[in-house]
């Protein structure tokens, strides 16, 4: 699970599909590509909430997908998938719940000797995760996920404006940077606040793509039904 969180963050940081249409907003005109990128990172980090949807391919050939809505209070809901295994995630009232299929749990618990005993009890159920599982709760930490955007500012320096584009119907400025045989492309909203709409990396052995949407839209995950919830910590002691 730690690798899942890291890959999700990497997809945000370094994730060229271009569309047509749109145009620069007045607020972005006259600014360099690097200035636009810096403004976009700042605006995105200041947003109260957002919906991230991304995919990444590892060098091993395994793929990971993340589809999650998260806010500044760490409320979140969505899904994570890797190697054909899928799990739903909800974080509500400081409690993390995970609902994975059998394949997901067998992969997650393969290092435990009692996996055969636990998997039938948790597969398809909402599992209340231990409070100290920072690797998973990191998926619901908006600022933690976006911190990768500023960890290495050189990643977004040296970019060039590459015309305009449209991302899911929203006009955007397209920024690109080529290095080491890879192309980093960032799409920044040219209407309203300069939020990041999409980031992609093409070329190389690990292409990535992440889209950002539903900025400042409330994230209100439902409490899983009591009858469909099990406590992983209690199961471990049984």
């Amino acid at each position: 699970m730690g690798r899942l969180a890291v890959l999700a963050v990497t997809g945000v940081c370094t994730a060229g599909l271009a569309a047509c249409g749109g145009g620069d907003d007045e607020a972005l005109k006259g600014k360099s590509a690097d200035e636009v990128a810096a403004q976009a990172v700042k605006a995105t980090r200041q947003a109260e909430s957002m919906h991230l949807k991304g995919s990444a391919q590892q060098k091993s050939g395994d793929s990971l997908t993340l589809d999650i809505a998260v806010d500044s209070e760490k409320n979140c809901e969505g899904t994570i998938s890797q190697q054909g295994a899928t799990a739903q995630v909800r974080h509500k009232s400081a409690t993390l719940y995970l609902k994975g299929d059998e394949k997901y749990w067998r992969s997650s618990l393969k290092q435990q000797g009692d996996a055969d005993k636990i998997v039938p009890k948790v597969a398809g159920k909402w599992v209340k995760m231990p409070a100290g599982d920072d690797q998973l709760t990191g998926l619901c930490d908006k600022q933690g996920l976006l911190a990768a955007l500023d960890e290495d500012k050189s990643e977004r320096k040296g970019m060039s404006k590459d015309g305009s584009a449209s991302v899911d119907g929203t006009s955007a400025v397209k920024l690109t940077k080529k290095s080491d045989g890879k192309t980093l492309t960032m799409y920044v909203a040219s209407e309203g606040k300069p939020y990041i709409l999409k980031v992609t990396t093409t070329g190389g052995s690990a292409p990535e793509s992440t889209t950002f949407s539903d900025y400042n839209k409330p994230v209100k995950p439902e409490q899983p039904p009591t009858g469909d919830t099990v406590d992983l910590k209690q199961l471990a002691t049984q």
Side-chain angles (χ1 to χ4, degrees):
M1 289 308 303
R3 184 172 60 178
L4 258 178
V6 170
L7 278 172
V9 170
T10 302
V12 172
C13 179
T14 58
L17 301 178
C20 57
D24 289 11
D25 185 79
E26 289 297 326
L28 301 181
K29 285 184 177 179
K31 296 187 180 298
S32 69
D34 286 356
E35 288 174 327
V36 172
Q39 278 193 323
V41 170
K42 181 179 179 179
T44 299
R45 295 197 67 178
Q46 290 178 340
E48 287 298 314
S49 63
M50 64 193 64
H51 183 175
L52 293 83
K53 188 173 183 179
S55 62
Q57 183 175 324
Q58 301 170 255
K59 292 182 179 179
S60 64
D62 295 337
S63 61
L64 171 140
T65 60
L66 175 74
D67 187 345
I68 194 165
V70 60
D71 68 14
S72 57
E73 300 299 319
K74 296 186 179 181
N75 295 305
C76 80
E77 61 179 335
T79 60
I80 51 176
S81 302
Q82 187 175 33
Q83 294 178 268
T86 302
Q88 297 178 56
V89 179
R90 290 184 190 175
H91 193 265
K92 181 180 177 66
S93 302
T95 303
L96 180 70
Y97 299 92
L98 194 68
K99 187 176 184 179
D101 54 21
E102 180 177 348
K103 187 173 182 178
Y104 173 85
W105 284 112
R106 289 204 176 277
S107 176
S108 298
L109 301 174
K110 61 184 178 182
Q111 302 299 328
Q112 297 191 26
D114 56 354
D116 288 339
K117 178 182 177 182
I118 296 178
V119 170
K121 297 179 180 180
V122 297
K125 297 284 188 179
W126 282 106
V127 179
K128 183 179 179 181
M129 303 300 292
D133 197 332
D134 295 331
Q135 293 178 336
L136 276 172
T137 54
L139 287 172
C140 297
D141 182 353
K142 181 181 76 69
Q143 290 303 337
L145 285 171
L146 296 179
L149 289 166
D150 265 349
E151 283 178 353
D152 184 358
K153 292 181 175 59
S154 65
E155 287 282 347
R156 56 179 169 80
K157 286 188 176 181
M159 303 193 82
S160 301
K161 287 186 177 180
D162 193 16
S164 58
S166 177
V167 179
D168 295 330
T170 300
S171 298
V173 175
K174 181 182 175 185
L175 310 176
T176 60
K177 176 182 178 179
K178 295 183 179 181
S179 62
D180 300 324
K182 297 185 293 185
T183 300
L184 168 67
T185 306
M186 179 185 290
Y187 300 86
V188 179
S190 58
E191 299 174 348
K193 292 188 177 182
Y195 292 130
I196 297 174
L197 301 178
K198 186 175 183 178
V199 186
T200 68
T201 294
T202 57
S205 59
E208 302 169 2
S209 176
T210 302
T211 58
F212 302 75
S213 62
D214 295 336
Y215 280 101
N216 300 311
K217 182 178 180 179
V219 180
K220 298 181 178 180
E222 294 184 0
Q223 184 76 28
T226 302
D228 195 31
T229 302
V230 295
D231 191 321
L232 188 61
K233 186 176 181 180
Q234 291 181 0
L235 284 178
T237 61
Q238 293 178 359

